[in-house]
Amino acid sequence: MHLVYADENNNVYDHPDLFGVARSGDSLVELLEEDLIPLPPGATLVGLPHTRAIGMDPKSGRMMPLPGNYQAVGALLPQGYTRFYVPGYSKTDKTQMFPLFGYTAVVWKDGGFYVAAGRSDDPEPWNPENCDRAEVKKGVDRLLEKYPENRLYRHLSNCALGYECLTSSNTFLQRWEGAVPVSFACNAGCFGCISEQPDDSGFVSPQTRLQFKPTVEEVVEIMLEHLRTPESIISFGQGCEGEPSTQAKTIVEAIKQVRAKTSMGYININTNAGLTDHLRAITDAGLDLMRVSTISALDDHYNAYYRPRGYTLANVEKTLKYATDKGVYTSINYLVFPGVTDREEEIEAMIGFAKRTGLKLIQMRNLNIDPDAYLSIIPKAQGEIYGMKTLLDIFREELPDVVIGSYTHVPPVAKK
């Protein structure tokens, strides 16, 4: 399990003597065989800027920075995999923030790269290697020609071709889960927002937020184009927009018009669930699926990251329970981080939250953040840290009726 590191030209090496180490929270830990899986298809190795790689002497157990100008390396995993540990590193410039990605510890073992992670869902639908970029371009050209006045299609074409976003690519491939962003505004100021950051945050948003308010007609055109099969899903609430429920009037009218023409497929919303009244109206209009983004079921942790404006975690819980009671297949987009999510108090709170809201699915999503920046804003651990692998075992035991996965699924019982 040898240390993997990179030089200033992003050439990657494995160390002949030192073993790789990882981080849980802000603690360096030794990696065990049981924590590792081969680097999955579709994963990417990246250098961690402004860092020094740290390895471990296997004879003495001593952890030490690698001499010279060598940076730590992490892996960016595709959906379907939950990371157990963050890469081990020390920063050479603590004022510099990592780009907003989810970094996973990686080592060299038995002639190949291994990562500290486990499979939590079927990775194939979201494997980037299964997205034919040439076919995406054909789909973009066809739909832009068919709907030349639709600004949403033009916006999504940049997401699909420029950012290679898989959800927007699905919109043009007309398969699986597709995107229909609607909002440029948000009622939260997330510390790790990937579409909008204050100028003084130190972060660079990897995506550009939607800059206009779509019309109902533009939204309906995309929805009807995508909802052509029983398994198709069209989703409000993308990484390129704010909170979709701020545009509840547009969404409600679009759902009504679409459902007047077809019962095919599923309508989903990805939301922070803070605007309970708006989401009740959306639910009542004919919503099928709801995925609520959360980082914690504890108020102090939740508030530190989301920085909600005019709502609380209690609103989130109320929204989820209402949707569940109305027959919506509810899930959470659980932003997880080793050494935090697996704390005793976090696990207990989330189990209670899942039971009270009637959750059907927990989507384990690796938090895209600079680890040091994130740890600096959230509460310190109060209890034992169990480890991400144990957390998954606890969830499966304590929540037997809740699916543990990684992305939005078609409900196991088909619509009537």
Side-chain angles (χ1 to χ4, degrees), residues 71-193:
Q71 62 184 202
V73 170
L76 308 182
L77 303 179
Q79 291 188 42
Y81 297 91
T82 299
R83 66 177 170 185
F84 295 159
Y85 293 104
V86 174
Y89 66 87
S90 63
K91 279 196 172 180
T92 56
D93 184 348
K94 294 184 178 180
T95 67
Q96 297 294 322
M97 303 292 187
F98 294 165
L100 290 168
F101 298 112
Y103 304 94
T104 301
V106 58
V107 295
W108 181 262
K109 174 180 173 291
D110 300 332
F113 293 108
Y114 279 68
V115 291
R119 178 171 158 173
S120 50
D121 213 323
D122 178 7
E124 284 308 298
W126 293 97
N127 182 347
E129 295 179 356
N130 292 335
C131 187
D132 187 323
R133 306 315 307 176
E135 289 301 313
V136 173
K137 180 64 167 61
K138 290 180 183 178
V140 167
D141 292 342
R142 183 178 66 82
L143 288 170
L144 288 183
E145 182 178 359
K146 186 174 181 179
Y147 300 100
E149 303 302 318
N150 191 309
R151 297 168 298 165
L152 267 182
Y153 270 130
R154 290 203 299 272
H155 170 82
L156 287 169
S157 69
N158 180 60
C159 299
L161 299 178
Y163 298 127
E164 298 189 356
C165 165
L166 293 180
T167 314
S168 58
S169 295
N170 286 343
T171 306
F172 294 103
L173 293 172
Q174 296 184 302
R175 66 177 189 180
W176 305 333
E177 182 182 355
V180 55
V182 292
S183 177
F184 51 83
C186 195
N187 59 331
C190 296
F191 184 71
C193 181

Side-chain angles (χ1 to χ4, degrees), residues 46-351:
V46 294
L48 277 59
H50 309 287
T51 66
R52 182 170 286 111
I54 296 179
M56 184 186 75
D57 182 343
K59 295 179 180 178
S60 67
R62 188 166 66 92
M63 298 187 186
M64 61 187 72
L66 189 63
N69 187 25
Y70 296 111
Q71 62 184 202
V73 170
L76 308 182
L77 303 179
Q79 291 188 42
Y81 297 91
T82 299
R83 66 177 170 185
F84 295 159
Y85 293 104
V86 174
Y89 66 87
S90 63
K91 279 196 172 180
T92 56
D93 184 348
K94 294 184 178 180
T95 67
Q96 297 294 322
M97 303 292 187
F98 294 165
L100 290 168
F101 298 112
Y103 304 94
T104 301
V106 58
V107 295
W108 181 262
K109 174 180 173 291
D110 300 332
F113 293 108
Y114 279 68
V115 291
R119 178 171 158 173
S120 50
D121 213 323
D122 178 7
E124 284 308 298
W126 293 97
N127 182 347
E129 295 179 356
N130 292 335
C131 187
D132 187 323
R133 306 315 307 176
E135 289 301 313
V136 173
K137 180 64 167 61
K138 290 180 183 178
V140 167
D141 292 342
R142 183 178 66 82
L143 288 170
L144 288 183
E145 182 178 359
K146 186 174 181 179
Y147 300 100
E149 303 302 318
N150 191 309
R151 297 168 298 165
L152 267 182
Y153 270 130
R154 290 203 299 272
H155 170 82
L156 287 169
S157 69
N158 180 60
C159 299
L161 299 178
Y163 298 127
E164 298 189 356
C165 165
L166 293 180
T167 314
S168 58
S169 295
N170 286 343
T171 306
F172 294 103
L173 293 172
Q174 296 184 302
R175 66 177 189 180
W176 305 333
E177 182 182 355
V180 55
V182 292
S183 177
F184 51 83
C186 195
N187 59 331
C190 296
F191 184 71
C193 181
I194 61 174
S195 67
E196 187 171 271
Q197 287 286 337
D199 292 338
D200 60 353
S201 70
F203 294 118
V204 177
S205 297
Q207 299 175 0
T208 300
R209 181 172 290 188
L210 185 71
Q211 297 295 314
F212 61 91
K213 180 181 176 179
T215 65
V216 172
E217 182 182 12
E218 288 171 320
V219 174
V220 169
E221 286 175 348
I222 290 179
M223 294 176 72
L224 287 175
E225 277 289 345
H226 198 76
L227 295 175
R228 292 172 173 266
T229 68
E231 297 80 22
S232 56
I233 301 171
I234 192 70
S235 289
F236 301 102
Q238 303 303 313
C240 61
E241 66 176 310
E243 167 53 38
S245 66
T246 61
Q247 299 297 326
K249 186 176 180 180
T250 297
I251 292 175
V252 167
E253 182 58 30
I255 292 176
K256 288 179 178 179
Q257 289 190 24
V258 167
R259 284 307 181 217
K261 296 182 178 180
T262 181
S263 61
M264 196 72 75
Y266 294 85
I267 300 173
N268 173 60
I269 189 167
N270 304 315
T271 172
N272 62 35
L275 297 173
T276 302
D277 290 343
H278 290 197
L279 285 155
R280 281 175 174 165
I282 292 169
T283 296
D284 294 344
L287 190 71
D288 300 301
L289 314 172
M290 179 184 288
R291 184 182 79 173
V292 172
S293 176
T294 189
I295 203 163
S296 176
L298 296 171
D299 287 280
D300 52 356
H301 183 186
Y302 182 93
N303 292 338
Y305 179 81
Y306 280 94
R307 298 183 286 199
R309 301 164 183 154
Y311 77 93
T312 67
L313 192 53
N315 294 109
V316 176
E317 186 168 324
K318 186 184 294 186
T319 300
L320 266 171
K321 191 172 188 312
Y322 182 85
T324 300
D325 291 346
K326 290 293 184 177
V328 173
Y329 189 79
T330 53
S331 65
I332 56 171
N333 184 49
Y334 195 19
L335 306 177
V336 299
F337 188 91
V340 176
T341 311
D342 47 351
R343 295 172 179 176
E344 181 178 8
E345 64 271 22
E346 293 281 352
I347 296 172
E348 290 178 356
M350 184 50 68
I351 289 171

Side-chain angles (χ1 to χ4, degrees), residues 230-233 265-266 289 329 361 407-415:
E231 297 80 22
S232 56
I233 301 171
Y266 294 85
L289 314 172
Y329 189 79
L361 167 66
Y407 50 81
T408 297
H409 286 258
V410 169
V413 178
K415 289 193 304 180

Side-chain angles (χ1 to χ4, degrees), residues 13-57:
Y13 306 90
D14 63 291
H15 199 281
D17 302 315
L18 296 180
F19 281 13
V21 298
R23 277 179 53 169
S24 172
D26 55 9
S27 300
L28 288 172
V29 296
E30 179 182 356
L31 287 168
L32 304 176
E33 295 272 356
E34 63 194 35
D35 299 323
L36 301 171
I37 60 171
L39 184 73
T44 305
L45 294 182
V46 294
L48 277 59
H50 309 287
T51 66
R52 182 170 286 111
I54 296 179
M56 184 186 75
D57 182 343

